[in-house]
Amino acid sequence: MPASSPRAASGRRSARRCSRRVCPHAHGLPDLARAAQGSATVAILTTAGLLSASILGGGYSTIQVALLALAIAFGALGLSHVNDSGFWVVTRYLGLGVADGLRTWTVLTTVLGLVGFLLCYVVWLVAGVA
């Protein structure tokens, strides 16, 4: 199929749309996994396994793969709550109750994860789809 055909152009647009979607998925999947089972490590490894075929087959540049890894890590940072051992370490060390820990630690980790992801996504849009 010639590179200038309408089907080829449609394929490039579709790949670009898919490329834009993989970064938010790289953040959202570990967020959900972390909230469900509590472990950031398990959330990161599960998401990496789920997205590995998409990433390997996506033809991403080195910087895009690094940004995806960061998006996964920032996704696993948020939503730390009572089923996370780190939540208990922080709340007990600081002398916080469960309600105070949820108001402070959970909100802090979630905001940090979202801000980190937004920074990654801005770089993704500038460097990755240009």
Side-chain angles (χ1 to χ4, degrees), residues 20-81:
R20 288 186 184 139
R21 281 187 232 141
V22 76
C23 197
H25 284 113
H27 176 75
L29 288 172
D31 230 358
L32 293 173
R34 172 86 184 265
Q37 50 77 34
S39 171
T41 306
V42 172
I44 289 169
L45 293 174
T46 301
T47 303
L50 289 171
L51 293 179
S52 63
S54 297
I55 294 170
L56 289 173
Y60 297 110
S61 68
T62 305
I63 188 142
Q64 287 175 312
V65 173
L67 289 168
L68 289 171
L70 285 172
I72 290 170
F74 280 122
L77 181 62
L79 299 177
S80 172
H81 60 94

